Amino acid sequence: MNNFEFQTVPHLISESGAASRCGDIIRKYYPEARHVLVVTDTGFLKTGLVQPALDNIKSQQIQVSVFSDVIADPPEAVVLQAVANARKLGIDLVVGLGGGSSMDVAKLIAVLAGSEQPLSTMYGIGNVKGERLPLIQIPTTAGTGSEVTPISIVTTGNTTKMGVVAPQLYADIAILDATLTTGLPAKVTAATGIDAMVHAIEAYTTRHKKNPISDMLARQALKLLWNNIDQACSNGSNLAARQAMLVGAMMAGQSFANAPCAAVHALAYPIGGIFHVPHGLSNSLVLPHVLRFNAPAAAELYAELAEIIAPEAMGSAEARSNALITAMEDLAERTGIETRLTQVGVTESDLDRLAADAMLQTRLLGNNPREVSLADARAIYAAAL
Ligand SMILES: NC(=O)c1ccc[n+]([C@@H]2O[C@H](COP(=O)([O-])OP(=O)(O)OC[C@H]3O[C@@H](n4cnc5c(N)ncnc54)[C@H](O)[C@@H]3O)[C@@H](O)[C@H]2O)c1
Ligand SMILES: [Fe+2]
């Protein structure tokens, strides 16, 4: 077995309705808190689901401000604006309340609000210096697992996505509350749920940091996500299915935080960056094609995961690995999300640029079970067209 380290968020609360007692939780664990910033996006703010959390914070005589200008795949400018805002207000605790985009911005606010270090020097692994403000994360999608990862993804320039990866980005508390996710549209539920499943699959087959705790989490995550995604899509108000999805996505997040993602994410990022395709959907579009490319190096491990999502599969590792890939393809088909790159506006003439951009994702590609060349990346995109 490899030597390994495993880190995660120290305090998890999984309870439908818990967000509406967020102020009580803050008062209990941060009795000194005076002014909380809740970070969300306009779309989620409009659902009205932020209000109970705000009311409960106020009921504890804690001042609360809202930053709701987060946009999907947050650009650097939004982060910098949010930080300036937080400094001006004198914030002393940050709550991320939204999807991965809001939680990623919340992490950087917590780090940057009390620091002189420029954001531009934080990209990459382990480049954040100093402490951060207390940070509570409350996901509203069962997808990214950002509530338990030390990663923040920012769109730099027009199209490139860069990651800040540092232990300071682990939150203090993550609250999983399914009542926040019941209104998530079926297609967003499907795409974000598949993102979470990709986290589990890529963590399980990661090249350098595979470890038994991440493996255990990835398997359990996949089981929860697979067993509940159809119900969460077709009957969005099923709280039990929604809570199971949140726990599954969180466990996948814990898994890949310590056994990092690979080529599916590397090839998904340029699709998101250039064509403004949501993160989960970008992953789903390339997933089967990357898995087929990886199979010669990873079939044994894919076959182990097939025990969870295609238990009827028999025969060789290759056959069971194929069953996993087909099951994921069928899932995307039946949830009605796009399954071909052409459906999101990609044409043959874009493939060179996509492949060149994917090759810049060296942080991710280095974890892939099989080496990916520029020609390989182009061929994978061509297969996904
Ligand atoms: N930090 C990490 O570890 C990590 C991992 C994977 C992805 N990411 C990043 O996370 C971002 C994607 O996050 P995401 O997929 O959660 O989507 P998102 O946060 O971008 O939100 C997508 C849309 O869904 C809406 N929405 C969110 N929750 C809702 C709800 N409960 N009801 C109704 N509408 C709701 C939002 O308003 C938004 O319009 C990307 O920037 C991606 O790069 C981060
Ligand atoms: Fe992801």
Side-chain angles (χ1 to χ4, degrees), residues 196-218:
M197 295 176 82
V198 173
H199 296 154
I201 296 170
E202 294 216 280
Y204 200 74
T205 51
T206 197
R207 194 183 214 164
H208 303 294
K209 293 194 173 172
K210 186 171 167 64
N211 68 80
I213 301 178
S214 285
D215 284 353
M216 172 189 74
L217 289 161

Side-chain angles (χ1 to χ4, degrees), residues 195 199 265 279 283:
D195 180 32
H199 296 154
H265 274 75
H279 175 75
N283 272 292

Side-chain angles (χ1 to χ4, degrees), residues 41 73 99-101 104 140-141 144 146 149 151 161 180 184 279:
D41 67 71
D73 305 302
S101 300
D104 283 4
T140 65
T141 61
T144 68
S146 177
T149 73
I151 306 166
K161 286 208 157 191
L180 303 174
L184 197 64
H279 175 75

Side-chain angles (χ1 to χ4, degrees), residues 9 74 99-108 111 122-126 128 135 137 144-154 161-171 199 252-262 265 269 279 361 363-364 367:
V9 167
S101 300
S102 297
M103 291 190 288
D104 283 4
V105 173
K107 288 175 187 178
L108 291 173
V111 161
M122 291 183 174
Y123 294 112
I125 300 175
V128 173
L135 175 64
Q137 297 281 32
T144 68
S146 177
E147 67 277 14
V148 290
T149 73
I151 306 166
S152 183
I153 308 288
V154 178
K161 286 208 157 191
M162 303 262 281
V164 178
V165 185
Q168 292 94 328
L169 300 194
Y170 281 115
H199 296 154
Q254 291 180 314
S255 179
F256 89 87
N258 296 279
C261 286
H265 274 75
Y269 278 140
H279 175 75
Q361 298 290 337
R363 171 176 76 82
L364 296 163
N367 303 317

Side-chain angles (χ1 to χ4, degrees), residues 308-356:
I308 300 163
I309 74 167
E312 68 292 344
M314 296 290 160
S316 65
E318 284 70 24
R320 285 174 289 136
S321 163
N322 271 333
L324 173 90
I325 300 169
T326 311
M328 291 304 295
E329 272 179 325
D330 290 348
L331 172 62
E333 283 285 347
R334 71 173 174 270
T335 59
I337 59 173
E338 289 84 351
T339 55
R340 310 296 321 177
L341 287 180
T342 47
Q343 294 172 288
V344 297
V346 180
T347 63
E348 175 92 35
S349 63
D350 299 311
L351 299 188
D352 288 335
R353 181 179 179 200
L354 283 169

